[in-house]
Amino acid sequence: MVEDEGGRTPEVTRDQPRTAGPRQTWAGLPWPVRTAVTWSACLVVVITGLWLLGKIAVLLAPLAIALAGTLFLAALLDPVLRLLRRLRLPAAPAALLTILLLLGILVGVGVLVWNLTASQFGELSQQLGQGLERTRDFVTSTLPITEEQLDRLVQQTRDGLSGSAPDPVGGARTATEVVGSLLLGLVLLFFLLKDGRSMWHWVLRRMAGPRRDLTAEAGSAGWRTLGAYSRGTMIIAAIDAIGIGLALVLLRVPLALPLALITFLGGFIPIIGATVAGAIAVLVALAANGPTTALLVLAAVIAVQQIEGNLLEPLVMNRQVQLHPAVILVVVTAGTLIAGIAGAFVSVPVAAVTWRIIDTVQRHRTASTA
């Protein structure tokens, strides 16, 4: 820098240009650009986080499904455990007896259904063949399609299904993962029933101040929601199975008990499960007894589902469990894509509990700041 005659450095005049700092550059941008940049950065962060969570969920899908199913069964069986504890039974025998009761019911129902319907499978295979022939004649006579085109379409569908079938190695690995998840779930269920409350109290004792009260409140709300969902869903699924099974018996549709059992299991997948179970019942009635019986079964399925949605669900389900149907569809679809049928079973209770915990935390913070 050049000095003047007195040896002093001349001051920088205001007319000389200065280098703008990052803050000045950001402030100089128009507000739509700043808003777009901010939202884009947040969106990138959120999408990256969801992608990482999805990758972790896929890698740990068997463990996550086992944990979710264990919590669901523990909430379902909690009243039985508390009843046994009131009878002065120790924690370990009470938990073991509760699990044995669950396994006894499942095995007993399976054996009963098999003994009552095993003789009907051979007859049903013939009736399905006749029903498919009637369906084929109806399609070719009603729609603008020839028998050759329909046969070609059926063959392409069969080839696609056979091509997408898993290889023996993949099937064996999947079966091993399923068996391992079931065994892990049973062991975790025993320890959760035996020591669940003491483990939760241990977690709370490690916290202090307002965080402890918030955690206790959110955990209690989530557990109540899971218990209300599990018991309410089981009651509604049982009523659906009884109603549709009774209609199938009155209409003399074969395999009424297995179809009622499928309806009961489908009731644990909201919206989609009931629809699929009803469609299976209608197809079996069509193949076995013809279109008139199929229409009557369809009417019975629709009537039972309307009674369930408009009367039973508001009475049985707690309001804090209810989710919007659009949310349920998205959650069930996401769970199915991640972990198949098991993911569809556990996705809705996980979403309901998560939402209840978030809502409890928000209400607690609002009350504390008011």
Side-chain angles (χ1 to χ4, degrees), residues 2-366:
V2 181
E3 297 181 352
D4 58 5
E5 295 178 356
R8 294 173 299 179
T9 302
E11 296 180 358
V12 179
T13 60
R14 295 182 179 179
D15 296 336
Q16 292 178 338
R18 296 182 178 180
T19 303
R23 294 183 179 179
Q24 295 176 346
T25 303
W26 176 257
L29 294 175
W31 70 265
V33 177
R34 297 199 303 268
T35 303
V37 170
T38 303
W39 279 103
S40 299
C42 294
L43 186 62
V44 169
V45 173
V46 171
I47 291 177
T48 304
L50 292 177
W51 181 80
L52 290 175
L53 289 176
K55 295 291 288 185
I56 294 174
V58 171
L59 292 176
L60 301 178
L63 177 60
I65 294 300
L67 290 175
T70 301
L71 290 173
F72 181 87
L73 291 176
L76 179 64
L77 299 174
D78 189 58
V80 179
L81 179 68
R82 286 184 294 177
L83 177 61
L84 294 177
R85 294 304 304 272
R86 290 195 196 101
L87 298 176
R88 304 296 179 87
L89 201 64
L96 182 60
L97 185 59
T98 302
I99 295 177
L100 292 178
L101 179 63
L102 173 66
L103 294 177
I105 292 175
L106 294 178
V107 174
V109 170
V111 172
L112 177 63
V113 170
W114 175 260
N115 290 334
L116 293 178
T117 59
S119 61
Q120 299 180 4
F121 282 101
E123 180 183 356
L124 181 62
S125 61
Q126 299 178 357
Q127 293 173 343
L128 283 175
Q130 297 175 1
L132 290 176
E133 288 295 331
R134 290 198 297 265
T135 305
R136 183 172 180 270
D137 296 337
F138 174 78
V139 170
T140 54
S141 62
T142 304
L143 300 178
I145 183 173
T146 62
E147 295 183 359
E148 291 77 10
Q149 293 174 341
L150 182 61
D151 293 337
R152 193 181 306 115
L153 180 62
V154 171
Q155 186 62 37
Q156 291 176 355
T157 303
R158 290 177 178 175
D159 294 339
L161 292 176
S162 61
S164 61
D167 58 306
V169 177
R173 185 177 61 183
T174 302
T176 304
E177 291 179 354
V178 170
V179 173
S181 298
L182 290 176
L183 294 177
L184 177 62
L186 287 176
V187 175
L188 290 176
L189 180 61
F190 172 77
F191 285 111
L192 193 59
L193 292 174
K194 175 179 174 291
D195 301 322
R197 285 179 172 81
S198 60
M199 288 189 291
W200 176 244
H201 293 157
W202 181 87
V203 172
L204 293 179
R205 285 195 300 269
R206 297 301 181 272
M207 298 182 179
R211 185 178 299 177
R212 179 178 180 179
D213 297 334
L214 177 59
T215 304
E217 183 179 355
S220 299
W223 185 251
R224 288 195 304 269
T225 300
L226 183 59
Y229 177 86
S230 60
R231 290 185 289 272
T233 302
M234 187 186 67
I235 293 173
I236 293 175
I239 295 175
D240 287 349
I242 292 173
I244 295 177
L246 183 60
L248 295 175
V249 170
L250 293 177
L251 294 173
R252 296 183 180 180
V253 176
L255 296 178
L257 283 179
L259 292 174
L261 182 60
I262 292 174
T263 303
F264 175 76
L265 296 177
F268 288 90
I269 306 177
I271 300 177
I272 296 178
T275 303
V276 173
I280 294 174
V282 172
L283 288 177
V284 172
L286 175 63
N289 298 346
T292 302
T293 304
L295 290 176
L296 292 176
V297 171
L298 178 61
V301 170
I302 294 175
V304 170
Q305 291 182 358
Q306 289 299 315
I307 294 174
E308 170 210 327
N310 298 321
L311 180 61
L312 293 178
E313 188 169 352
L315 291 176
V316 176
M317 283 288 193
N318 196 327
R319 290 185 178 181
Q320 64 177 352
V321 182
Q322 294 178 354
L323 296 173
H324 194 276
V327 177
I328 292 176
L329 286 175
V330 173
V331 168
V332 171
T333 304
T336 305
L337 292 176
I338 292 174
I341 297 178
F345 269 99
V346 303
S347 58
V348 177
V350 169
V353 171
T354 303
W355 165 246
R356 182 52 49 191
I357 292 176
I358 294 174
D359 182 65
T360 302
V361 172
Q362 289 179 344
R363 288 190 290 105
H364 188 275
R365 290 181 177 178
T366 302

